[in-house]
Amino acid sequence: MEIFRGRRLWIEKSNVRFPNGVEAEKIIVHPGSAVAILPVTPTGYKLLRQYRYAIGQYIYEVPAGTMEEGEDPQETAHRELIEEAGVSAGTMIPRGFIYTTPGYTDEKIWLFEARDLSPSDEFEKDADEVIEVMDVTRNTTDAMVADGTICDAKTICLIHRCREG
């Protein structure tokens, strides 16, 4: 049974039967698929310092965004990288996907590594996004993950997936 439907997500309540035979009522959030992109520079990465209203604070994260109707993940990655970081990638390397929180949502985030960056203003930032683009060295990024400064799960996963050797 549908509980809510918005522009980008819908929520349903379902009676489910698990593989072990147990039945339960569950709520499932369907936000649609998204992408996350790690822009790689010669010395490190371009990260975003972005205000996230759901948690009421700024966090450090990679550019990311929801796939629009009819877009494939690579198209979305191209668009979101320009919208949020102001750069285009000459090379976009797929790094698989992650499920964010499969206990209650089917959200899938496709991961990409972006290289050969050049400035671009082909797409504008969304008006409701408060973003500062920062160039961060690999060593600083590692320290930010280790000390909890970077606490965004998709960002930590993507940094790990893009490690060389």
Side-chain angles (χ1 to χ4, degrees), residues 80-141:
E80 288 291 342
L81 181 61
I82 294 170
E83 282 180 14
E84 294 193 347
V87 295
S88 180
T91 305
M92 191 75 77
I93 305 165
R95 295 294 183 188
F97 67 86
I98 58 172
Y99 288 110
T100 59
T101 43
Y104 68 89
T105 181
D106 59 0
E107 181 180 35
K108 180 187 279 190
I109 299 180
W110 296 93
L111 306 175
F112 291 90
E113 178 178 350
R115 292 188 170 270
D116 307 316
L117 307 176
S118 59
S120 178
D121 60 3
E122 181 181 353
F123 301 103
E124 293 183 14
K125 283 184 176 66
D126 292 339
D128 64 348
E129 292 180 320
V130 180
I131 296 173
E132 176 185 355
V133 180
M134 306 183 66
D135 287 301
V136 184
T137 66
R138 286 179 180 82
N139 287 341
T140 301
T141 301

Side-chain angles (χ1 to χ4, degrees), residues 138-158:
R138 286 179 180 82
N139 287 341
T140 301
T141 301
D142 290 344
M144 292 170 75
V145 170
D147 71 13
T149 302
I150 295 176
C151 57
D152 177 64
K154 70 182 176 303
T155 299
I156 295 167
C157 289
L158 187 49

Side-chain angles (χ1 to χ4, degrees), residues 4-62:
F4 171 82
R5 182 169 294 270
R7 188 171 71 88
R8 294 212 182 251
L9 67 82
W10 64 284
I11 303 170
E12 72 172 315
K13 180 170 31 173
S14 297
N15 291 317
V16 298
R17 182 182 197 96
F18 292 94
N20 65 359
V22 172
E23 294 183 15
E25 184 176 271
K26 293 291 183 180
I27 302 291
I28 303 170
V29 178
H30 303 282
S33 293
V35 301
I37 312 101
L38 182 64
V40 179
T41 69
T43 59
Y45 312 110
K46 288 192 176 292
L47 296 180
L48 308 181
R49 181 176 177 267
Q50 183 166 2
Y51 183 77
R52 291 298 192 174
Y53 61 90
I55 58 172
Q57 65 186 41
Y58 285 88
I59 64 170
Y60 293 92
E61 61 183 307
V62 294

